[in-house]
Amino acid sequence: MLLSARFLNDVAGVNSFEYAQVGQFTQGEAASVYVQLIDESLDGALKGFAPAGRRYIPASGATLSVVVNSIDDAKKITRAATNPFPDDRSIWKLDFLATDTISGTATLRLTLTEGLVVRKGLVKNGLRIASDTGCA
């Protein structure tokens, strides 16, 4: 198992969303970013899968903690993600506050806890946060 995540746009329900290359928002604005957990070791792009990676549904009661590492090492955010759709535990929502000071390109460090099993994953350069002055 190789835990990772892909970003989702225009999320309205478990069957109503679009896949995205990255998550994006503007610094200084509250935003919700949706991700779908995947097992990156399965259904690879070289085998013709698009998007690559197989959706991963964690056990009921699982928790997901996300550390967002900004390009500024002094600025990082740790948040608990929420599971907005009980019918699909693969989709998680990460909320950002208007007061969050991260900007630029950010990497997500995932920690998924399923009972006694803890899985870690990394999404390199997955977030793009434009500064409130218009420059990333």
Side-chain angles (χ1 to χ4, degrees):
M1 162 76 175
L2 184 57
L3 181 66
S4 189
R6 62 178 148 236
F7 293 91
L8 306 175
N9 279 340
D10 301 323
V11 177
V14 295
N15 293 316
S16 181
F17 58 82
E18 293 182 5
Y19 293 116
Q21 293 293 321
V22 296
Q24 303 183 88
F25 62 94
T26 301
Q27 179 188 25
E29 296 178 5
S32 295
V33 173
Y34 290 84
V35 297
Q36 183 178 56
L37 297 180
I38 61 170
D39 181 347
E40 210 169 40
S41 68
L42 301 173
D43 301 339
L46 292 176
K47 294 182 179 179
F49 290 93
R54 184 175 297 171
R55 177 177 69 138
Y56 181 73
I57 300 176
S60 182
T63 61
L64 179 64
S65 176
V66 180
V67 177
V68 180
N69 290 320
S70 176
I71 52 176
D72 180 347
D73 291 336
K75 297 178 182 177
K76 79 175 162 181
I77 296 172
T78 302
R79 293 270 157 72
T82 59
N83 182 237
F85 307 112
D87 293 341
D88 187 343
R89 294 184 308 275
S90 72
I91 298 175
W92 294 78
K93 181 173 84 162
L94 186 59
D95 289 319
F96 292 91
L97 309 174
T99 55
D100 289 337
T101 58
I102 59 172
S103 65
T105 304
T107 295
L108 291 105
R109 293 188 178 280
L110 311 172
T111 302
L112 178 66
T113 304
E114 300 175 88
L116 298 175
V117 178
V118 177
R119 302 178 198 278
K120 298 198 179 258
L122 184 70
V123 182
K124 285 185 166 186
N125 304 323
L127 278 180
R128 292 186 186 151
I129 305 111
S131 70
D132 54 5
T133 60
C135 300

